[in-house]
Amino acid sequence: MIDVGFDFTDRHVLVTGGTRGLGLAVARAFHSAGARVSVTGTKILPSLYDADLADFDYHQLQLASADAIASFVERIGPLDVLVNAAGARLSATMDEHEREFLCHSARLGFVGPGRLTQQLRHRLCASPAPGGGAVIHTHHSLAWFELTLSPADAESELRAQTAQAGRAWSRLGGRVNAVLAPQRVSVPNQQRTAPMVIDMSDSGVLLTRPKVAAEVSVEQVAPIAMFLASSGASTVSGQTLATTPRR
């Protein structure tokens, strides 16, 4: 439930990975705020997904292919907001050398969300929205860096690239920010129940359930992404916001 008022009427929002999880929650939130929303997925038809995608313009996109990204950019048209919420999905049919090459290509920004973002820079910076077009990276962007880096180094790299791009884009009329969840993001209907633990103490058998680490829900992350794309954040660029789970 989004309880903060946003108005994205007449804005075009693109959410990569908008067919499930965080991407779907963000796409639905922007649609509820009046935006025209495009989502991407790897399957050929939107009907192949469990979620109802009828409210969105669906596009098949393989972010692991530079040619697919270039073709997509030619078709997408004017754009105001890009939310990168697509994880790194590599084909299981790749041999070891192909996989290694692709992983390093993703690290260098030749494929993946970094490539897509750069290819869309001119369209986003041409947005008439206050503050210009907005790019929001999510924790899914980390997966592309983690193909070659440790989780800690991947986060440091994403933060550094976000800061650098944020400074560069602000001079061109756009902005780049990120919102990261420090722990696993929970998705509705996918909550896990902690297993029961049997404590064989002197006082008898005691069944306990260990504490589960607090999580951040997709509904909590979506309004942060919307804020970063809103006119209220028109002067914010190069920042990485970390969400804090509540017990």
Side-chain angles (χ1 to χ4, degrees):
M1 178 69 69
I2 306 297
D3 58 3
V4 180
F6 295 104
D7 183 5
F8 286 93
T9 303
D10 297 327
R11 307 277 181 86
H12 183 195
V13 177
L14 170 62
V15 183
T16 63
T19 59
R20 64 186 67 180
L22 174 61
L24 180 59
V26 169
R28 286 173 172 167
F30 274 107
H31 178 265
S32 296
R36 171 196 164 202
V37 179
S38 295
V39 300
T40 72
T42 57
K43 298 181 180 180
I44 190 170
L45 295 173
S47 58
L48 297 176
Y49 290 94
D50 294 333
D52 182 4
L53 305 178
D55 290 333
F56 316 128
D57 297 327
Y58 176 80
H59 301 269
Q60 184 185 28
L61 176 60
Q62 300 287 349
L63 282 172
S65 168
D67 290 339
I69 292 173
S71 176
F72 170 78
V73 168
E74 290 181 358
R75 303 190 312 268
I76 193 62
L79 194 63
D80 300 292
V81 179
L82 167 63
V83 181
N84 284 310
R89 299 181 182 276
L90 306 185
S91 173
T93 61
M94 288 182 178
D95 62 32
E96 182 179 352
H97 296 293
E98 288 178 314
R99 181 175 291 270
E100 182 179 0
F101 176 78
L102 182 60
C103 289
H104 284 287
S105 295
R107 167 71 175 78
L108 296 172
F110 296 141
V111 295
R115 175 77 170 190
L116 177 65
T117 300
Q118 286 302 315
Q119 293 267 317
L120 291 171
R121 183 182 64 180
H122 296 295
R123 300 192 187 199
L124 286 162
C125 290
S127 169
V135 176
I136 298 98
H137 294 295
T138 70
H139 67 275
H140 289 291
S141 298
L142 289 173
W144 293 89
F145 292 104
E146 289 174 359
L147 292 172
T148 54
L149 298 174
S150 68
D153 288 342
E155 181 171 337
S156 296
E157 184 70 13
L158 179 60
R159 286 177 176 270
Q161 289 197 15
T162 298
Q164 181 180 13
R167 291 190 295 269
W169 283 50
S170 64
R171 294 191 292 268
L172 300 172
R175 45 202 163 117
V176 180
N177 294 289
V179 53
L180 302 180
Q183 301 189 37
R184 181 166 55 96
V185 175
S186 63
V187 180
N189 301 323
Q190 296 182 15
Q191 302 284 1
R192 295 183 179 180
T193 302
M196 298 298 294
V197 176
I198 302 178
D199 180 10
M200 301 295 291
S201 62
D202 294 338
S203 58
V205 178
L206 176 64
L207 297 180
T208 62
R209 192 181 299 278
K211 292 183 178 180
V212 178
E215 297 176 346
V216 176
S217 71
V218 293
E219 288 81 6
Q220 291 173 312
V221 178
I224 301 175
M226 296 180 74
F227 165 71
L228 291 173
S230 71
S231 58
S234 61
T235 60
V236 177
S237 190
Q239 302 303 307
T240 298
L241 305 183
T243 58
T244 301
R246 300 291 183 183
R247 294 188 180 278

Coordinates of all heavy atoms in Angstrom, one line a residue, residues 16 29 44 54 79 96 104 136 141 145 147 150 167-168 171 177 179 181 206 209 212 223 226 229 231:
T16 N 12.8 -2.5 -15.8 CA 13.3 -3.8 -16.2 C 13.1 -4.8 -15.1 O 13.1 -4.5 -13.9 CB 14.8 -3.7 -16.5 OG1 15.5 -3.4 -15.3 CG2 15.1 -2.6 -17.6
A29 N 3.1 0.4 -8.7 CA 3.0 1.7 -7.9 C 3.0 2.9 -8.9 O 2.2 3.8 -8.7 CB 4.2 1.8 -7.0
I44 N 8.9 -14.6 -24.2 CA 8.5 -14.0 -25.4 C 7.1 -13.4 -25.3 O 6.8 -12.4 -26.0 CB 8.5 -15.1 -26.6 CG1 8.2 -14.4 -27.9 CG2 7.5 -16.2 -26.3 CD1 8.5 -15.3 -29.1
A54 N -1.5 -6.8 -17.8 CA -2.3 -6.1 -18.8 C -2.2 -4.6 -18.7 O -2.5 -3.9 -19.7 CB -3.8 -6.6 -18.6
L79 N 11.3 8.7 -22.9 CA 11.3 8.1 -21.6 C 11.6 9.1 -20.5 O 12.4 10.0 -20.7 CB 12.3 7.0 -21.6 CG 12.3 6.0 -20.4 CD1 11.0 5.2 -20.5 CD2 13.5 5.0 -20.5
E96 N 32.0 -22.4 -20.7 CA 32.8 -21.7 -19.7 C 33.4 -20.4 -20.2 O 33.4 -19.4 -19.5 CB 33.9 -22.6 -19.1 CG 34.7 -22.0 -18.0 CD 35.8 -22.9 -17.5 OE1 35.8 -24.1 -17.9 OE2 36.6 -22.5 -16.7
H104 N 32.6 -10.6 -17.5 CA 33.5 -9.4 -17.6 C 32.9 -8.3 -18.4 O 33.1 -7.1 -18.1 CB 34.9 -9.8 -18.1 CG 35.7 -10.6 -17.2 ND1 36.3 -10.0 -16.1 CD2 36.0 -11.9 -17.1 CE1 37.0 -10.9 -15.4 NE2 36.8 -12.0 -16.0
I136 N 16.9 4.9 -11.5 CA 17.0 4.3 -10.2 C 17.5 2.9 -10.3 O 16.8 2.0 -10.8 CB 15.6 4.3 -9.4 CG1 15.1 5.8 -9.3 CG2 15.7 3.7 -8.1 CD1 14.1 6.2 -10.3
S141 N 20.6 -4.7 -9.4 CA 21.8 -4.3 -10.2 C 23.1 -4.8 -9.6 O 24.0 -5.0 -10.4 CB 21.8 -2.7 -10.2 OG 20.7 -2.2 -10.9
F145 N 27.2 -7.0 -10.9 CA 28.6 -6.8 -10.4 C 29.1 -8.1 -9.7 O 30.3 -8.4 -9.7 CB 28.7 -5.6 -9.5 CG 28.4 -4.3 -10.2 CD1 27.2 -3.6 -10.0 CD2 29.4 -3.7 -10.9 CE1 27.0 -2.4 -10.7 CE2 29.2 -2.5 -11.6 CZ 28.0 -1.8 -11.4
L147 N 28.8 -11.0 -10.5 CA 29.3 -12.0 -11.4 C 30.8 -12.1 -11.4 O 31.3 -13.2 -11.6 CB 28.8 -11.7 -12.9 CG 27.3 -11.8 -13.2 CD1 27.0 -11.3 -14.6 CD2 26.8 -13.2 -13.0
S150 N 33.0 -9.8 -5.2 CA 32.3 -10.2 -3.9 C 31.1 -9.3 -3.7 O 31.1 -8.2 -4.2 CB 33.3 -10.2 -2.8 OG 33.6 -8.8 -2.5
R167 N 26.8 12.7 -10.9 CA 27.4 14.0 -11.1 C 27.4 14.3 -12.6 O 27.1 15.5 -13.0 CB 28.8 14.0 -10.6 CG 28.9 14.0 -9.1 CD 30.4 14.2 -8.6 NE 31.3 13.1 -9.1 CZ 31.6 12.1 -8.3 NH1 31.0 11.9 -7.1 NH2 32.4 11.2 -8.8
A168 N 27.7 13.4 -13.4 CA 27.8 13.6 -14.9 C 26.4 13.9 -15.5 O 26.2 14.8 -16.3 CB 28.4 12.4 -15.6
R171 N 24.7 17.4 -15.0 CA 25.1 18.5 -15.9 C 24.4 18.4 -17.2 O 24.4 19.4 -18.0 CB 26.6 18.4 -16.1 CG 27.4 18.7 -14.9 CD 28.9 18.9 -15.2 NE 29.5 17.6 -15.6 CZ 30.1 16.8 -14.8 NH1 30.2 17.0 -13.5 NH2 30.7 15.7 -15.3
N177 N 20.3 7.6 -9.2 CA 20.3 7.3 -7.8 C 20.1 5.8 -7.7 O 19.8 5.1 -8.6 CB 19.3 8.1 -7.0 CG 19.5 9.6 -7.0 OD1 20.5 10.0 -6.4 ND2 18.7 10.3 -7.8
V179 N 18.6 2.6 -4.7 CA 18.0 2.3 -3.4 C 18.3 0.8 -3.2 O 18.0 -0.1 -4.0 CB 16.5 2.5 -3.4 CG1 15.7 1.9 -4.6 CG2 15.9 2.0 -2.1
A181 N 18.4 -2.6 -0.5 CA 17.9 -3.3 0.7 C 19.1 -4.0 1.4 O 19.7 -4.8 0.7 CB 16.8 -4.2 0.4
L206 N 11.7 -29.0 24.5 CA 11.2 -27.6 24.3 C 11.2 -27.3 22.8 O 12.3 -27.3 22.2 CB 12.0 -26.6 25.1 CG 11.6 -25.1 24.9 CD1 10.1 -24.9 25.4 CD2 12.5 -24.2 25.6
R209 N 11.1 -21.5 18.0 CA 11.3 -21.1 16.7 C 12.3 -19.9 16.7 O 12.1 -18.9 17.4 CB 10.0 -20.5 16.1 CG 10.0 -20.3 14.6 CD 8.7 -19.7 14.1 NE 7.6 -20.7 14.3 CZ 7.3 -21.7 13.5 NH1 8.1 -22.0 12.5 NH2 6.3 -22.5 13.8
V212 N 13.9 -14.7 13.1 CA 14.2 -14.6 11.7 C 14.6 -13.1 11.4 O 14.0 -12.2 12.0 CB 12.9 -14.9 10.8 CG1 13.3 -14.6 9.3 CG2 12.5 -16.3 11.0
P223 N 7.9 2.9 -2.8 CA 7.8 4.4 -2.7 C 9.1 5.1 -2.6 O 9.1 6.3 -3.0 CB 7.0 4.5 -1.4 CG 7.1 3.2 -0.7 CD 7.3 2.2 -1.7
M226 N 9.9 5.7 -6.2 CA 9.0 6.7 -6.7 C 9.5 8.1 -6.2 O 9.4 9.1 -7.0 CB 7.6 6.4 -6.3 CG 7.0 5.2 -6.8 SD 5.3 4.9 -6.3 CE 4.4 6.1 -7.3
A229 N 12.3 9.4 -8.3 CA 11.9 9.8 -9.6 C 10.9 11.0 -9.6 O 10.6 11.5 -10.7 CB 11.2 8.6 -10.3
S231 N 9.3 14.9 -8.6 CA 9.8 16.3 -8.6 C 10.4 16.7 -7.3 O 11.2 17.6 -7.2 CB 8.7 17.2 -9.0 OG 7.6 17.1 -8.1

